[in-house]
Amino acid sequence: MKAVILAGGTGSRLKPLTYWTNKHLLPVGSYPMICYGVAKLKEAGIRDIVIVTNRTAIGGFAEVLGSGRDWGVSIVYRIQEEAGGIAQALELARPVMAPKDKFVVLLGDNLFEESLRPYCEAYERQSGGAMLLLKEVADPHRYGVPKLDEASGRILYIEEKPELPQSNYCVTGLYFYDTSVFNLIDGVKPSRRGELEITDVNNAYAELGVLAYQELKAWWTDAGTFESLEEAGRRLKGAIT
């Protein structure tokens, strides 16, 4: 499998730190945040990684990661020229993918303890469609919340930040796709904020009845706030060897 790390965005919840640097280059424990995702992907057996970021940050990523050689991977960089949404950022990886590739998409601020290898292997066995990783949380209203069909192991639909969540699960920033995702992105219309939303792409898979899921059991966070960034630093200090 290949991997795409999405590492753009403004990091508005982490200002003023992100006035000077991209959120994914902020220190977490002993390393910049982006390094944990790269290390987890390598641990899962993935060697070909696409990093999508903005033009002001690409120099910082190149300084930290270079070509990926020192990390045992090969990195290709793609630039998202404007804030067009997660789905638009993912679409930039299309030229790097072969027609039958399967890949994992990681939002770069998602930090976690578990190995991705068993999830990658599960998706390799999946005949088609997409797969998302879910996590049970105390505050699902802050996230995209899935409506599950537990009998089939499928997601029926995802509701973004609902006032009355239908479950205690949230959709994490770990997605598994094949290249059919790009055709679905082509059919997505911009949201009210003018962006191509990844939830709309995932719901297109759900409507087709091919959106599978598995659950992360161990610790996970999206390190987009000062509180979650501090917690991640405590948990992951020294985690990369």
Side-chain angles (χ1 to χ4, degrees), residues 40-105:
K40 282 292 185 182
L41 293 169
K42 182 193 174 187
E43 178 190 36
I46 294 171
R47 296 294 181 269
D48 295 312
I49 299 174
V50 181
I51 293 179
V52 182
T53 189
N54 51 53
R55 65 165 63 197
T56 59
I58 192 168
F61 285 103
E63 285 185 11
V64 171
L65 298 170
S67 67
R69 181 188 63 185
D70 294 343
W71 294 85
V73 298
S74 176
I75 296 175
V76 172
Y77 298 96
R78 300 284 289 167
I79 296 176
Q80 187 178 24
E81 295 284 1
E82 67 281 325
I86 292 174
Q88 186 209 53
L90 173 56
E91 203 278 334
L92 295 173
R94 188 196 297 238
V96 183
M97 300 298 172
K100 294 185 178 180
D101 278 344
K102 286 187 171 184
F103 51 96
V104 56
V105 177

Side-chain angles (χ1 to χ4, degrees), residues 18-168:
T18 48
Y19 283 135
W20 297 284
T21 190
N22 180 282
K23 169 175 64 176
H24 307 86
L25 295 172
L26 291 173
V28 174
S30 304
Y31 293 87
M33 185 188 301
I34 189 69
C35 297
Y36 293 92
V38 171
K40 282 292 185 182
L41 293 169
K42 182 193 174 187
E43 178 190 36
I46 294 171
R47 296 294 181 269
D48 295 312
I49 299 174
V50 181
I51 293 179
V52 182
T53 189
N54 51 53
R55 65 165 63 197
T56 59
I58 192 168
F61 285 103
E63 285 185 11
V64 171
L65 298 170
S67 67
R69 181 188 63 185
D70 294 343
W71 294 85
V73 298
S74 176
I75 296 175
V76 172
Y77 298 96
R78 300 284 289 167
I79 296 176
Q80 187 178 24
E81 295 284 1
E82 67 281 325
I86 292 174
Q88 186 209 53
L90 173 56
E91 203 278 334
L92 295 173
R94 188 196 297 238
V96 183
M97 300 298 172
K100 294 185 178 180
D101 278 344
K102 286 187 171 184
F103 51 96
V104 56
V105 177
L106 169 64
L107 302 190
D109 61 356
N110 276 234
L111 302 171
F112 50 95
E113 291 178 331
E114 289 178 64
S115 171
L116 287 181
R117 186 178 291 273
Y119 301 110
C120 292
E121 291 172 350
Y123 186 62
E124 288 279 18
R125 295 190 297 268
Q126 188 172 315
S127 58
M131 186 178 84
L132 309 184
L133 296 189
L134 310 181
K135 179 66 179 171
E136 191 169 12
V137 293
D139 50 354
H141 62 276
R142 293 181 52 232
Y143 304 95
V145 176
K147 174 67 174 177
L148 305 179
D149 181 357
E150 295 183 8
S152 67
R154 295 289 183 266
I155 296 173
L156 299 177
Y157 63 88
I158 299 166
E159 188 177 7
E160 273 298 316
K161 299 180 180 178
E163 292 185 10
L164 298 173
Q166 297 198 48
S167 75
N168 292 324

